[in-house]
C-alpha cells in the first residue's frame, strides 16, 4: 500500500519529523485558540487533547465566533506516585493555567482541564520544574503504566512499582520534539544516533497500555490492558510475572468488528526479564498491527487476526526466550480499601474517597484546600489509585494525628454518608469538554448512584458493594465493560445498560438493554436487586449472581458484544 493510501493519522505521524510537525507555529498563531489541524493529532503524543466547550458551541456559532477552544493535559506518572512538593506544584498549576481543579484518572495520573493555548507552554515548563512531564500520556505510543499496589506496603509492592517505572522509561518516546516545542531547548543531534530507536518514524498503530497487579488485588483491572502483568510470589519474593495480552475496552456502536476484550494469559517470565518482555510485545504490535484501518489497529485485533500460537512464536523470536508455563494466581477484588492501614514497618497509609477523582473546593467540601494543607505537613508520598481515589502514603506515627485532625476538620472522611455503591463507582469526564461524549457521566454519577442505592436499600441490600461504572460513550475510559452495573452513553439522557462482570476483573459484562433512559434503567434494576436479595448465595457478588442464575449468558463470540439480551420493546 502506498503512503497516500494510509489513514490520515498514519500519514501525519510519518511526516511529522518525529512529532515536531508545526506545533511551534501553531502555538505562535494568536489569531485562533486552536492548533493547526494536523498538529491536533501530534499534540496527543505530547499529552494534550484539543477540545471545546460544547455547551457554548451554538451561542458562539450565532455570534460568528470560533468554538471556545481549550485543551486537556494529562501527565505521565507511572504507578501514580508523587511527592508532597509535586502535589503543591500541581495545585498551583490548577489555578494559574487550568480550571481550578485537579482530576485523578482511571490510569493513576492527573488531567488538567480548560487549559488555553497560551498557557500550554508555561504549564509544561512548570511541570518540568517539578520533575514531571506529559510525554506519551496520549497518542499512538505506550501510555501511563499503572500498578494496583501501594509501594510502601511491602518490599514486593515496592518491586512492582519499580517495574512500572522501568517499563514506562523503556517504552517512552525519545524524540527531542518535546524539549524543543515546550521547553524552548535547541535541537541536539548526534551523528549516527536514531531519534526514535524503538518506535521509528511510524510509532505504534494505536495506543498501548500496560498494567501490573499483585494478586489477589486487582484495582487496576489488569486484564483490560494490552499487556497485563500478574506478579507471582513464592517464598515471600516476586519470582516473575504471568503475562496476559490483548486487553482493551474501546468499541464503536454498530461496528461489529469492534469489541471490548479481556487480555489472554499466555505465559510466565522471570522478574528480571519483564521489562525486556514488554518491549518485545510492543515491538510485535509495532511491526504487525493494522495500519490501514484505525478501528482495527489495537493489539487485541492483531491477536484475534493471527492467533495466540502465532503470538507465542513471535514472542520467542523477538524476546529470544519463549514464555514459560503460566503459574497459578487468583484475582478476587478490584476496589480500594478506605481509611487507615499500617504496613509491617509501622508506617500508616490513608485512602480517601474522591468522587469521580475531581479535586476542587466544592461548596460543602473544601477538598483542594484540605489536600493542600495535608501536603504542607506530609513527608511521605501521595498515590493515585486506578479507581480515582487518593492514598496519603508513608505517614509516620508523629504525622498521623496531625493529618487526622485535618481530615476531621475538612470532613474528608464522610463517616459512611456515601453509600458503598457511590464509593466504588467510576466515571469519565464526558460533557461539556470531551468531544466523544454522547451523554453525561461525571456530572450525572452522584444523582444516578443515589437513585440506584435507594433501590438497593428498598431491596435490603443497601450495604452491598456493587461496582458501578459510567462512561459518556462506548470508548470505555471508565472501564465500563468490567462493571457489575455499567452505562455507556448513547445520546443525551440515553444509555446502554451492561450487567454481570465479576468483582475480580476476570469477566466482561454483557449488553442487557440498549438506548434506554433513567426510568427504564431503574425499572430494569429493581427486580434484579429484589431477586438477588432473595436468592443469592453467601458472599456472592451481584454480577456473579446474575451470571449463575442465567440472567446473563456467556458470550459465544465477539458478535455477541453488540447484541442486547433484552431487545427494545
Amino acid at each position: 500500500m502506498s503512503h497516500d493510501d494510509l489513514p490520515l493519522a498514519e500519514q501525519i505521524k510519518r511526516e511529522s519529523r518525529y512529532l515536531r510537525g508545526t506545533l511551534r507555529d501553531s502555538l505562535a498563531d494568536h489569531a485562533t485558540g486552536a492548533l493547526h489541524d494536523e498538529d491536533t493529532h501530534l499534540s496527543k503524543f505530547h499529552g494534550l487533547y484539543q477540545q471545546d466547550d460544547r455547551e457554548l458551541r451554538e451561542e458562539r456559532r450565532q455570534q460568528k465566533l470560533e468554538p471556545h477552544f481549550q485543551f486537556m493535559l494529562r501527565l505521565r506518572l507511572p504507578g501514580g506516585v508523587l511527592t508532597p512538593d509535586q502535589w503543591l506544584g500541581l495545585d498551583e498549576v490548577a489555578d494559574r493555567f487550568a480550571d481550578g481543579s485537579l482530576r485523578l484518572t482511571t490510569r493513576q495520573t492527573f488531567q488538567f482541564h480548560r487549559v488555553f493555548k497560551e498557557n500550554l507552554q508555561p504549564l509544561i515548563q512548570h511541570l518540568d520544574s517539578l520533575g514531571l512531564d506529559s510525554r506519551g500520556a496520549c497518542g499512538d505510543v505506550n501510555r501511563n503504566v499503572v500498578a494496583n499496589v501501594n509501594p510502601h506496603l511491602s518490599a514486593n509492592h515496592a518491586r512492582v512499582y519499580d517495574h512500572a517505572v522501568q517499563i514506562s522509561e523503556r517504552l517512552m518516546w525519545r524524540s527531542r520534539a518535546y524539549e524543543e516545542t515546550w521547553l524552548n531547548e535547541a535541537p541536539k543531534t548526534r551523528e549516527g544516533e536514531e531519534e526514535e530507536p524503538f518506535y521509528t518514524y511510524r510509532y505504534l498503530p494505536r495506543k498501548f497500555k500496560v498494567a501490573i497487579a499483585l494478586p489477589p488485588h486487582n484495582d487496576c483491572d489488569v486484564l483490560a490492558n494490552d499487556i497485563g502483568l500478574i506478579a507471582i510470589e513464592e517464598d515471600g519474593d516476586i519470582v516473575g510475572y504471568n503475562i496476559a495480552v490483548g486487553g482493551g475496552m474501546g468499541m464503536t456502536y454498530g461496528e461489529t468488528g469492534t469489541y471490548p476484550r479481556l487480555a489472554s494469559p499466555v505465559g510466565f517470565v522471570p522478574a528480571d526479564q519483564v521489562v525486556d518482555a514488554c518491549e518485545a510485545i510492543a515491538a510485535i504490535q509495532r511491526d504487525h498491527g493494522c495500519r490501514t484501518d484505525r478501528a482495527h489497529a489495537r493489539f487485541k485485533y492483531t491477536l484475534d487476526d493471527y492467533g495466540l500460537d502465532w503470538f507465542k512464536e513471535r514472542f520467542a523470536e523477538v524476546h529470544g526466550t519463549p514464555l514459560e508455563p503460566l503459574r497459578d494466581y487468583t484475582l478476587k477484588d478490584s476496589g480500594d480499601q478506605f481509611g487507615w492501614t499500617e504496613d509491617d514497618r509501622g508506617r500508616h497509609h490513608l485512602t480517601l474517597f474522591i468522587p469521580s477523582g475531581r479535586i476542587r473546593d466544592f461548596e460543602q467540601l473544601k477538598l483542594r484546600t484540605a489536600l493542600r494543607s495535608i501536603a504542607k505537613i506530609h513527608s511521605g508520598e501521595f498515590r493515585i489509585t486506578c479507581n480515582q481515589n487518593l492514598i496519603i502514603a508513608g505517614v509516620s506515627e508523629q504525622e498521623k494525628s496531625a493529618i487526622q485532625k485535618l481530615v476531621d476538620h475538612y470532613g474528608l472522611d464522610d463517616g459512611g454518608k456515601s453509600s458503598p455503591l457511590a464509593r466504588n463507582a467510576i466515571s469519565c469526564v464526558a460533557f461539556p469538554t470531551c468531544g466523544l461524549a454522547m451523554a453525561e457521566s461525571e456530572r450525572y454519577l452522584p444523582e444516578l448512584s443515589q437513585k440506584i442505592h435507594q433501590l438497593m436499600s428498598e431491596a435490603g441490600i443497601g450495604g452491598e458493594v456493587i461496582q458501578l461504572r459510567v462512561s459518556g460513550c462506548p470508548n470505555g475510559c471508565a472501564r465500563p465493560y468490567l462493571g457489575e452495573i455499567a452505562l455507556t452513553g448513547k445520546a443525551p439522557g440515553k444509555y446502554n445498560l451492561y450487567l454481570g462482570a465479576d468483582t475480580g476483573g476476570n469477566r466482561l459484562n454483557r449488553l442487557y438493554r440498549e438506548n434506554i433512559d433513567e426510568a427504564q434503567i431503574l425499572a430494569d434494576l429493581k427486580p434484579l436487586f429484589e431477586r438477588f436479595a432473595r436468592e443469592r448465595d453467601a458472599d456472592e457478588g451481584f454480577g456473579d449472581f446474575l451470571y449463575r442464575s442465567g440472567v446473563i449468558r456467556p458470550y459465544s463470540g465477539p458478535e455477541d458484544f453488540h447484541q442486547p439480551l433484552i431487545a427494545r420493546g
Side-chain angles (χ1 to χ4, degrees):
M1 175 175 286
S2 72
H3 174 81
D4 291 339
D5 291 330
L6 291 170
L8 178 61
E10 197 70 23
Q11 295 179 44
I12 291 171
K13 280 186 290 187
R14 295 173 184 227
E15 297 170 357
S16 70
R17 299 180 299 119
Y18 296 101
L19 307 182
R20 291 173 177 85
T22 59
L23 276 167
R24 289 186 64 85
D25 292 337
S26 282
L27 294 172
D29 184 356
H30 301 300
T32 174
L35 301 176
H36 300 163
D37 286 346
E38 292 191 356
D39 289 334
T40 61
H41 294 274
L42 299 179
S43 67
K44 296 174 185 178
F45 291 80
H46 298 255
L48 309 170
Y49 276 94
Q50 181 172 294
Q51 302 174 332
D52 74 286
D53 190 326
R54 295 174 62 174
E55 293 176 342
L56 297 178
R57 281 182 183 176
E58 180 58 24
E59 176 185 336
R60 292 180 70 85
R61 186 191 66 79
Q62 292 180 5
Q63 295 174 349
K64 302 188 185 311
L65 298 173
E66 72 174 10
H68 196 228
F69 289 119
Q70 54 198 261
F71 294 82
M72 179 274 284
L73 183 139
R74 182 183 296 152
L75 272 63
R76 182 180 69 94
L77 195 69
V81 174
L82 72 162
T83 68
D85 284 344
Q86 288 173 326
W87 183 279
L88 292 171
L90 296 180
D91 181 80
E92 181 183 351
V93 163
D95 277 335
R96 288 182 61 188
F97 307 122
D99 68 349
S101 75
L102 304 92
R103 192 173 195 278
L104 312 182
T105 80
T106 57
R107 293 200 67 78
Q108 285 185 310
T109 188
F110 290 89
Q111 288 182 180
F112 291 98
H113 292 268
R114 297 186 186 275
V115 181
F116 297 111
K117 188 171 75 171
E118 62 268 23
N119 286 329
L120 288 173
Q121 268 191 320
L123 191 162
I124 292 176
Q125 290 168 8
H126 189 91
L127 293 178
D128 184 67
S129 72
L130 297 171
L132 301 170
D133 64 74
S134 60
R135 184 197 301 260
C138 318
D140 296 344
V141 288
N142 181 60
R143 302 285 185 90
N144 199 48
V145 179
V146 301
N148 77 317
V149 291
N150 182 337
H152 299 283
L153 286 179
S154 72
N156 283 345
H157 289 76
R159 287 192 72 191
V160 166
Y161 169 68
D162 288 344
H163 281 140
V165 174
Q166 292 167 23
I167 293 165
S168 179
E169 293 296 318
R170 178 72 67 85
L171 295 180
M172 182 176 66
W173 59 268
R174 304 290 174 187
S175 161
R176 293 277 303 170
Y178 189 87
E179 290 80 3
E180 294 170 20
T181 301
W182 308 108
L183 308 181
N184 293 323
E185 294 185 10
K188 294 180 182 178
T189 58
R190 296 188 181 97
E191 188 174 350
E193 184 180 84
E194 293 288 340
E195 282 216 65
E196 291 287 7
F198 176 74
Y199 286 114
T200 78
Y201 67 96
R202 298 184 304 162
Y203 296 90
L204 293 180
R206 284 297 295 272
K207 62 185 174 183
F208 199 82
K209 299 179 178 180
V210 181
I212 313 177
L214 182 57
H217 306 298
N218 184 27
D219 78 349
C220 66
D221 281 332
V222 66
L223 299 180
N225 294 267
D226 296 275
I227 300 176
L229 302 173
I230 302 163
I232 302 300
E233 293 181 287
E234 293 180 2
D235 299 323
D237 191 19
I238 292 179
V239 295
Y241 293 87
N242 282 342
I243 291 181
V245 291
M249 293 284 98
M251 69 171 186
T252 302
Y253 291 137
E255 294 189 14
T256 56
T258 68
Y259 44 84
R261 185 187 191 278
L262 286 185
S264 303
V266 289
F268 172 88
V269 296
D272 61 358
Q273 295 181 24
V274 69
V275 180
D276 290 339
C278 287
E279 183 178 44
I281 296 168
I284 292 170
Q285 170 63 353
R286 177 197 65 198
D287 296 340
H288 298 280
C290 178
R291 292 184 182 268
T292 59
D293 179 2
R294 284 185 67 80
H296 194 69
R298 286 295 300 272
F299 189 36
K300 59 185 175 180
Y301 303 123
T302 305
L303 293 176
D304 284 348
D305 287 345
Y306 290 99
L308 295 179
D309 289 340
W310 170 90
F311 166 78
K312 293 176 184 179
E313 292 172 1
R314 298 291 80 72
F315 179 85
E317 292 173 2
V318 178
H319 183 56
T321 305
L323 290 161
E324 299 178 20
L326 288 163
R327 308 287 179 95
D328 290 337
Y329 69 93
T330 301
L331 299 175
K332 291 184 178 180
D333 63 80
S334 57
D336 293 332
Q337 182 179 349
F338 297 102
W340 288 101
T341 58
E342 184 177 353
D343 64 27
D344 54 10
R345 286 170 287 182
R347 292 179 301 183
H348 304 276
H349 315 283
L350 174 63
T351 302
L352 296 173
F353 169 48
I354 311 293
S356 292
R358 182 69 68 179
I359 296 172
R360 63 161 36 111
D361 279 349
F362 302 94
E363 183 177 349
Q364 301 297 327
L365 177 64
K366 303 303 181 187
L367 183 56
R368 240 189 85 200
T369 297
L371 293 173
R372 185 189 311 124
S373 300
I374 290 174
K376 289 178 179 178
I377 65 170
H378 182 36
S379 62
E381 290 178 325
F382 291 87
R383 183 182 185 277
I384 303 166
T385 80
C386 290
N387 291 317
Q388 301 175 296
N389 296 310
L390 185 68
I391 302 174
I392 315 298
V395 178
S396 68
E397 189 68 42
Q398 293 76 19
E399 285 181 353
K400 182 180 178 184
S401 60
I403 289 177
Q404 184 61 49
K405 286 180 181 178
L406 290 172
V407 169
D408 295 338
H409 175 74
Y410 287 103
L412 299 187
D413 183 352
D414 66 6
K417 295 177 185 176
S418 297
S419 68
L421 180 81
R423 290 167 73 91
N424 287 274
I426 300 176
S427 68
C428 68
V429 174
F431 290 135
T433 54
C434 179
L436 300 176
M438 301 178 184
E440 292 281 5
S441 181
E442 178 183 343
R443 298 192 300 192
Y444 178 45
L445 181 61
E447 175 186 350
L448 174 69
S449 60
Q450 185 177 26
K451 292 179 178 179
I452 293 177
H453 178 251
Q454 179 63 33
L455 290 181
M456 294 172 61
S457 297
E458 291 171 359
I461 57 169
E464 291 293 317
V465 176
I466 296 178
Q467 296 170 339
L468 172 64
R469 311 278 176 88
V470 182
S471 282
C473 79
N475 287 285
C477 293
R479 305 193 298 275
Y481 310 110
L482 283 167
E484 293 177 281
I485 302 171
L487 303 178
T488 61
K490 199 74 185 290
K494 296 291 185 71
Y495 297 86
N496 282 0
L497 173 62
Y498 294 82
L499 299 172
D502 71 314
T503 58
N506 301 285
R507 182 179 66 239
L508 293 172
N509 54 28
R510 282 203 65 169
L511 176 57
Y512 187 72
R513 195 191 290 266
E514 63 179 340
N515 199 29
I516 57 175
D517 61 14
E518 179 186 275
Q520 186 63 61
I521 293 166
L522 298 177
D524 282 337
L525 291 175
K526 180 178 173 61
L528 296 178
F529 288 153
E530 292 170 346
R531 185 175 172 189
F532 174 58
R534 292 193 308 268
E535 303 174 17
R536 62 177 170 168
D537 291 339
D539 299 323
E540 186 174 33
F542 182 62
D544 286 337
F545 167 76
L546 296 178
Y547 199 80
R548 177 182 62 81
S549 62
V551 174
I552 303 301
R553 299 190 296 273
Y555 285 108
S556 61
E559 64 278 359
D560 286 350
F561 287 105
H562 294 266
Q563 299 300 318
L565 290 170
I566 296 181
R568 293 179 65 187

